[in-house]
Amino acid sequence: MTRVLLTGASGFIAAHILDLLLAHNHSVRITVRSQQKADALISAHPDKAHLIDVAIVPDINAPGAFDAALQSHPPFEAVLHTASPFHFNITRSIDEDLLNPAINGTRNVLAAVKQYAPSVKTVVITSSFASIVDAGLGLAPGKVYTEKDWNPITLEQARENASLGYRGSKTWAEKTAWEFLEKEKPNFNIVTVNPPLVLGPVKPYLAKLETINTSNERIRDILTPKAAETIKNTGTYLWVDVREVAAAHVLAFEKPEAAGNRFFVVAGRFSNQLIADIVKKDFPEYAVNIPEERLPLDGYPAESDAFYNGDNTKSREVLGLHYRSLEESIVDTVKSLKEIGA
C-alpha cells in the first residue's frame, strides 16, 4: 500500500486513475472542488471507501491551494496531479480561464509537496500531446512525434485564441514542472504523461450527456442527428484510450525506472469517420444519424504516410503499456454513453 494524493479526482482521466489506485489497494486522498463530487466518488467505491479521504480545493490557482491537502499522517509517497482545465469556453480571459490555473496549479502543488510532504518520491503530472506538437508544421509529412519534441508556442501566441490557449497552458504548465525540478532540487522526481485526444468510457456517476468531457463530445455527437448532414473535421488525428492513460499514471510511480521521464501515451491514428463506421457496425440503432456517403481517405486529411504520426515505444518498453484497439474503445464508450441517456 502506498499513500497517494490524486488532484482533480472527479475529472475524466482521474476517475479512471482512482479505480486503479483502489484496485491496487493504495490509500488515496482525493482533491475535488466540492463535497458533492467527493461523495459521488466515494459512493461509487463502497468496498474501498475506507481507502479514500478528501481534501476540498476549490481553486487550484489560489496561492497555497494544496498546502493543507499535502499534510497527511501517514505521509504521502506519491502525488498524481491531474487537475487542469481542458475546455475552450472562455468566459473571462485566456489567462484567467486556461493559462493561470494550469501553470499556477502545477507550481502550487509542487511547492506544497516540497514544503509539507518530504516523504513524496514521485510526482506524476498529466500533460498532453499539446505540449509536444508543433502546430506550425501542419500535417508534417513523415514526422513521427516522440517525447523529445516540444511545442514551441510562446505565451503571447497562447493568448490569441482558446485553442492556442489550451495548448499553451499544457506546454507552460509542463515546463513549469521541469523548471521547478531543476531550480528547487526537491527530494522527489517528476514524471509527465502526455496523451493526445483521450477517448473511452465515462463514469455514469460523474458524467452528464449534455456536458460530456470535451474529447468524447465527438462520439456523443455521432450518436445524435447532429452527424446526419456531415461528419465533423477530426482536427487532431492521434488518440488513446483513457484506461491506458490512467494505467500510465499509476505505473509511473510504481515503477522506479519511470522516474524523470515524459511518456507519450498514444494508441495510433484515428478519424471521426472511422468512429462513425464503428458506431454504424456495432450499434446499428444509430445508423440513421450517420451520413451514407463516407468522407474520402477514411476521413483523414491525406494518405496515411503524408501526415504526422506518434511513437509509443517508451511507454510500452518502460511502463509495459498495452494499447486497446479503436473499435474496443469506441464500443465501450458508446455503451457508457447509453447508460446516461444517449
Side-chain angles (χ1 to χ4, degrees):
M1 178 187 291
T2 298
R3 179 74 166 145
V4 181
L5 178 75
L6 173 62
T7 74
S10 62
F12 174 49
I13 294 171
H16 285 271
I17 294 174
L18 180 59
D19 283 357
L20 285 180
L21 291 173
L22 296 175
H24 293 197
N25 288 315
H26 295 309
S27 168
V28 189
R29 175 173 291 172
I30 60 174
T31 78
V32 287
R33 285 181 292 179
S34 69
Q35 188 61 47
Q36 182 181 10
K37 291 185 175 182
D39 293 342
L41 286 163
I42 293 170
S43 297
H45 301 90
D47 296 337
K48 300 285 187 175
H50 62 286
L51 294 175
I52 308 173
D53 66 291
V54 179
I56 304 299
V57 179
D59 181 7
I60 65 173
N61 189 43
F66 294 99
D67 289 2
L70 262 301
Q71 299 175 52
S72 171
H73 301 284
F76 292 112
E77 297 171 69
V79 172
L80 309 187
H81 179 54
T82 78
S84 189
F86 177 26
H87 62 80
F88 304 107
N89 303 315
I90 306 303
T91 59
R92 296 169 296 177
S93 69
I94 289 172
D95 279 75
E96 290 178 285
D97 292 337
L98 292 174
L99 296 173
N100 292 345
I103 296 168
N104 293 337
T106 299
R107 186 181 293 114
N108 286 340
V109 78
L110 294 176
V113 173
K114 183 182 179 184
Q115 184 170 356
Y116 298 107
S119 54
V120 168
K121 301 179 181 69
T122 304
V123 177
V124 184
I125 297 172
T126 310
S127 190
S128 173
F129 179 50
S131 68
I132 291 175
V133 65
D134 182 353
L137 297 178
L139 294 180
K143 172 70 175 174
V144 179
Y145 283 103
T146 74
E147 291 86 354
K148 295 179 181 179
D149 292 300
W150 276 94
N151 185 346
I153 193 170
T154 66
L155 282 172
E156 289 71 26
Q157 290 170 332
R159 294 186 174 105
E160 291 179 13
N161 59 56
S163 178
L164 290 173
Y166 170 71
R167 290 178 181 173
S169 75
K170 300 305 290 187
T171 302
W172 287 95
E174 187 181 347
K175 286 185 174 182
T176 295
W178 293 118
E179 288 169 3
F180 185 97
L181 189 68
E182 181 180 352
K183 293 177 181 178
E184 299 292 332
K185 296 184 170 39
N187 293 330
F188 56 82
N189 69 77
I190 287 174
V191 180
T192 63
V193 177
N194 298 64
L197 192 84
V198 183
L199 305 174
V202 301
K203 299 296 184 183
Y205 51 87
L206 293 173
K208 294 182 179 179
L209 199 61
E210 62 274 15
T211 55
I212 204 72
N213 60 291
T214 302
S215 55
N216 273 335
E217 286 178 352
R218 66 188 62 219
I219 301 175
R220 177 201 62 190
D221 290 350
I222 285 171
L223 306 182
T224 72
K226 286 185 178 183
E229 294 182 5
T230 183
I231 300 296
K232 287 183 180 178
N233 176 40
T234 304
T236 181
Y237 296 90
L238 297 179
W239 80 283
V240 67
D241 188 276
V242 66
R243 291 163 289 189
E244 273 76 81
V245 181
H249 282 76
V250 177
L251 292 165
F253 77 83
E254 290 183 338
K255 288 180 171 282
E257 57 269 36
N261 280 292
R262 303 174 92 196
F263 289 101
F264 186 20
V265 290
V266 52
R269 291 167 167 157
F270 84 107
S271 71
N272 286 349
Q273 179 64 66
L274 293 182
I275 292 175
D277 292 346
I278 292 167
V279 171
K280 193 171 185 177
K281 169 180 174 286
D282 292 293
F283 301 93
E285 65 267 34
Y286 296 110
V288 66
N289 296 328
I290 297 172
E292 291 187 12
E293 184 176 351
R294 299 181 73 257
L295 297 174
L297 300 175
D298 288 335
Y300 288 131
E303 296 290 353
S304 60
D305 60 350
F307 69 101
Y308 63 84
N309 208 334
D311 184 352
N312 62 17
T313 301
K314 186 193 282 190
S315 69
R316 289 186 288 105
E317 293 183 349
V318 179
L319 299 178
L321 283 185
H322 298 278
Y323 289 90
R324 288 170 172 80
S325 69
L326 181 63
E327 181 166 10
E328 181 181 353
S329 182
I330 299 306
V331 167
D332 290 349
T333 305
V334 173
K335 287 179 180 177
S336 74
L337 294 178
K338 291 181 76 167
E339 284 190 60
I340 60 173

